[in-house]
Amino acid sequence: MKSTESDLTQAGLDGNQLTMLRQQHAHLRSEGRSADLSSLALRSRFINSDDLQEDDEQSDLGVIGDHFTLQTILPLEYCRRFICVPTEFSKGVLTLKCAQPLSASQRKRIQEVLRTPVQSLRVLPASRQEVFDVLMRIEQSGSVNGLVSILRSDGLEAGRLRGLVYAVLKEALSLRASDIHLSRKSDPDAWIAYRVDSVMRQTHLLPELLMQSLVARIKIEAGMDASNNRTAQDGRLTVEHEGRVVDFRISTQPLVDGESLVLRALDVSLLPSLSALFPGQPKMMGLIRGITQQTGKTGGLVFISGATGSGKSTTQYTVACGFRRDAMNIITVEDPVEYILPFAKQIQLQALVKQKAIDLERSILRQDPDILIFGEIRDADSARAALAFAESGHLVISTIHANSVIQVTERFLSMIDPSHRSDSEFLIAHFLRMVVHQRLMRRLCSCAKPMDNDEIEHLKPHALRLTGGLIEARTGLRKKMGCTRCLSTGYSGRVAAHETLHIPADDGMRAKFVRAFKNHELELPIDLREENGVQYTSRLETLQTLMDQGLVDWPSLAQLFGVVE
């Protein structure tokens, strides 16, 4: 990890930001705490985790720790049954230390219960005492399986239940899970599941009574009513993990046969950089930087759209991090607040007292804002507030649900009362700056391999049939493989497949857009194309770029079009 001031300067920090980090570092030391400058820069979102990644193409390291092993490879109960413990996983080969020879049927059973695809087993001899000592250390180290085993045998002690709560949270973070799902149901349906790269993984099956106790303990830790399982509740929980603080947003929902509890991980330090969000797309990065580097209060509306779970909030916060938050006054209005953003002033709408965004307009303007960030435009009230802020000269960035960039304005105006629609059309035509519509795709892990010419030739007719020749299968395509880092799935992280409309602030180009908008010519007429100033990037262009960069594979692209190959 970079830690010297020269490294941070090369990563993009200026003198004022370095001075602030030095002050934070000195303050923490005076409080008996410590943190290096790079950690503080990451926490403040002056740099991205990408800037700290010294070797993004690091190869499969092979050796995995005990905690990682038992949580993702072989369940603890099978380690005890066969008196073995995994010690290394490299290139599809799992190494086990065993206190007794394994028969063919035992080997087959182990491979059946493994949570990661393994090509072969390598067995090394070890004493029973050596194996049991390792397993004992695992149980005592606070691993999920170890704590579950102890709670099942020794009873539901409160301290260990609390330890299990935080073990689950930390395991989810280690696996890069975006969400944790707990199902409080009767046996044998009480599962803990993790969502990793959009895919749900049923990971731990708990006894019914233990799951009930775990759900109650989470509610207590989050300040919720543990005795109430009849109505939905919301809460928040914080955990320290690998030197950073991560928030979890918690939601409960009663079910006909139990209760569902979902925890969403909100780790601001892992928000992607612009280059990671729009890889190989310098034009897109330039457009967004043109917005984040603006000076003065000229007003503007930026909409980020997509379906639920399409990464709208992540993109919104990544864009927000591009502003000089230490030199500008950024205010967010959200329900609920997602990420905690350093140097921003974040307002939580109080639904219990029916507080509305438009009610806050006058008080927020008195706070001297530069940038306004709305969590979501979801009703007439928030739509009117966004227009009012833009008209007063402020840049407004918000998310909205729509199916394309063209439908964004239609969706926005559909929320407006008919008596105010004419004024709203005038304002949105004059202040709309950018619309991004995105869908998420699984990103190939660095272990992916280039496809050979024969494989690419085989795909060409499929690409022609699926996209009419608008997307080509050509050199640069890669195929998934699998390694320890990606748990042999072949994918690690996600990437946005977007379409974007950008309307320049130039008066001449703006006048053309206003005329087209007024005449309801929303299908990108000839006079609004790129040669006349308005820039449009189609999703097909983006997909071609992602394929050429080797970031997504053909099956993922076909799935985006609703085709399974």
Side-chain angles (χ1 to χ4, degrees):
M1 178 177 289
K2 299 176 180 177
S3 58
T4 66
E5 292 188 8
S6 61
D7 287 332
L8 295 175
T9 301
Q10 291 178 2
L13 271 69
D14 61 21
N16 291 333
Q17 292 171 328
L18 282 173
T19 298
M20 296 174 65
L21 294 180
R22 293 189 201 105
Q23 291 174 340
Q24 289 181 322
H25 185 260
H27 172 74
L28 289 175
R29 290 188 63 181
S30 69
E31 296 290 326
R33 301 163 61 189
S34 63
D36 57 43
L37 291 179
S38 58
S39 297
L40 292 172
L42 189 61
R43 176 189 175 275
S44 299
R45 290 297 295 168
F46 290 155
I47 57 177
N48 304 292
S49 56
D50 302 356
D51 300 320
L52 300 178
Q53 193 72 28
E54 296 181 357
D55 184 9
D56 190 47
E57 298 299 323
Q58 185 179 10
S59 61
D60 184 357
L61 296 179
V63 179
I64 45 181
D66 294 334
H67 170 76
F68 182 86
T69 299
L70 290 178
Q71 299 309 306
T72 60
I73 304 292
L74 185 61
L76 185 65
E77 57 266 30
Y78 290 97
C79 291
R80 289 197 170 277
R81 179 186 302 180
F82 299 117
I83 318 178
C84 64
V85 60
T87 59
E88 184 178 343
F89 181 36
S90 177
K91 299 179 180 179
V93 179
L94 178 65
T95 300
L96 300 173
K97 280 193 174 182
C98 297
Q100 61 185 18
L102 295 177
S103 65
S105 60
Q106 289 174 327
R107 285 172 177 264
K108 181 180 178 181
R109 180 56 180 157
I110 287 176
Q111 290 198 294
E112 288 175 350
V113 300
L114 290 174
R115 292 174 176 152
T116 296
V118 171
Q119 296 175 5
S120 62
L121 297 178
R122 176 170 172 252
V123 179
L124 299 178
S127 68
R128 295 174 65 91
Q129 189 61 46
E130 182 181 358
V131 171
F132 283 123
D133 284 347
V134 171
L135 294 178
M136 183 60 68
R137 287 197 302 270
I138 296 301
E139 290 184 347
Q140 294 173 350
S141 69
S143 69
V144 173
N145 280 340
L147 286 168
V148 168
S149 178
I150 293 173
L151 286 165
R152 294 184 69 172
S153 60
D154 297 350
L156 303 178
E157 191 267 327
R160 284 177 176 153
L161 270 174
R162 186 174 187 273
L164 179 58
V165 170
Y166 290 95
V168 169
L169 300 184
K170 292 181 178 181
E171 177 180 88
L173 293 174
S174 297
L175 297 175
R176 299 180 296 100
S178 61
D179 300 88
I180 308 171
H181 292 249
L182 289 85
S183 299
R184 186 182 64 78
K185 295 185 175 183
S186 57
D187 288 326
D189 294 322
W191 282 96
I192 298 177
Y194 299 136
R195 185 179 294 278
V196 180
D197 297 339
S198 301
V199 178
M200 286 276 287
R201 304 176 186 276
Q202 307 294 333
T203 309
H204 301 287
L205 179 59
L206 270 57
E208 178 183 355
L209 183 58
L210 177 53
M211 178 62 82
Q212 291 177 359
S213 302
L214 178 61
V215 168
R217 188 71 236 179
I218 291 175
K219 290 180 179 179
I220 292 171
E221 294 293 316
M224 303 161 71
D225 185 356
S227 64
N228 180 9
N229 55 21
R230 298 176 301 279
T231 58
Q233 298 186 68
D234 294 303
R236 207 171 183 100
L237 199 56
T238 300
V239 62
E240 288 193 15
H241 179 69
E242 296 181 352
R244 65 185 192 271
V245 176
V246 182
D247 289 318
F248 284 87
R249 189 185 70 206
I250 304 173
S251 172
T252 69
Q253 179 63 50
L255 306 175
V256 293
D257 56 346
E259 185 177 17
S260 172
L261 187 146
V262 178
L263 301 92
R264 166 66 58 88
L266 303 170
D267 189 352
V268 70
S269 67
L270 295 183
L271 283 173
S273 63
L274 280 179
S275 59
L277 199 61
F278 305 108
Q281 302 166 66
K283 183 178 78 171
M284 187 67 184
M285 292 172 61
L287 293 176
I288 292 181
R289 283 176 177 153
I291 289 175
T292 58
Q293 293 173 5
Q294 74 168 33
T295 57
K297 296 183 179 180
T298 58
L301 291 166
V302 175
F303 291 131
I304 301 167
S305 62
T308 300
S310 62
K312 298 187 299 297
S313 295
T314 298
T315 300
Q316 183 183 35
Y317 272 88
T318 297
V319 173
C321 288
F323 291 99
R324 281 297 305 267
R325 286 165 289 109
D326 56 315
M328 304 177 75
N329 186 18
I330 296 180
I331 295 179
T332 77
V333 181
E334 303 171 80
D335 180 23
V337 170
E338 296 274 351
Y339 298 93
I340 302 301
L341 189 61
F343 300 104
K345 298 172 182 176
Q346 296 178 268
I347 299 172
Q348 168 78 56
L349 287 178
Q350 301 297 322
L352 292 178
V353 295
K354 297 184 178 180
Q355 186 181 47
K356 297 181 178 180
I358 196 67
D359 299 333
L360 293 171
E361 178 194 352
R362 184 174 301 175
S363 63
I364 289 178
L365 289 178
R366 289 173 178 169
Q367 291 291 310
D368 185 32
D370 293 299
I371 309 295
L372 273 299
I373 296 178
F374 274 110
E376 183 182 347
I377 302 294
R378 61 178 64 175
D379 51 31
D381 170 71
S382 53
R384 287 169 51 212
L387 290 175
F389 284 125
E391 187 179 19
S392 62
H394 299 87
L395 179 64
V396 178
I397 303 174
S398 184
T399 66
I400 188 170
H401 286 280
N403 293 324
S404 68
V405 293
I406 297 301
Q407 288 187 13
V408 165
T409 53
E410 298 175 2
R411 173 67 179 133
F412 183 92
L413 292 171
S414 70
M415 303 179 189
I416 303 294
D417 186 271
S419 61
H420 296 101
R421 184 172 179 116
S422 179
D423 290 341
S424 298
E425 287 181 348
F426 173 84
L427 292 173
I428 198 171
H430 280 80
F431 290 108
L432 187 64
R433 293 280 301 278
M434 177 180 282
V435 181
V436 180
H437 182 275
Q438 66 184 46
R439 298 177 66 180
L440 288 182
M441 300 177 66
R442 291 189 294 176
R443 182 173 183 152
L444 283 169
C445 180
S446 58
C447 64
K449 301 298 182 184
M451 298 182 70
D452 59 38
N453 291 333
D454 290 341
E455 291 174 314
I456 293 176
E457 289 296 324
H458 177 72
L459 280 181
K460 285 184 177 180
H462 295 271
L464 180 64
R465 184 181 68 253
L466 186 61
T467 69
L470 296 175
I471 295 180
E472 298 179 9
R474 55 197 187 193
T475 304
L477 266 174
R478 297 200 301 168
K479 57 184 177 182
K480 70 173 185 176
M481 299 300 291
C483 66
T484 304
R485 184 186 304 176
C486 63
L487 304 183
S488 295
T489 63
Y491 301 99
S492 180
R494 294 180 292 176
V495 66
H498 68 91
E499 63 169 336
T500 299
L501 177 68
H502 179 265
I503 304 97
D506 175 81
D507 289 341
M509 294 303 102
R510 174 63 63 173
K512 291 184 178 182
F513 180 79
V514 170
R515 285 197 301 271
F517 195 95
K518 183 178 179 180
N519 295 330
H520 302 289
E521 298 172 0
L522 298 177
E523 297 299 330
L524 292 177
I526 297 299
D527 64 337
L528 290 183
R529 294 200 180 275
E530 188 169 345
E531 59 267 22
N532 288 318
V534 174
Q535 300 188 49
Y536 174 70
T537 302
S538 71
R539 197 182 321 277
L540 293 173
E541 291 178 65
T542 303
L543 289 171
Q544 184 71 70
T545 299
L546 295 177
M547 288 181 63
D548 291 345
Q549 294 282 325
L551 299 174
V552 300
D553 60 0
W554 176 257
S556 297
L557 185 144
Q559 188 176 18
L560 194 69
F561 285 89
V563 177
V564 179
E565 294 199 353

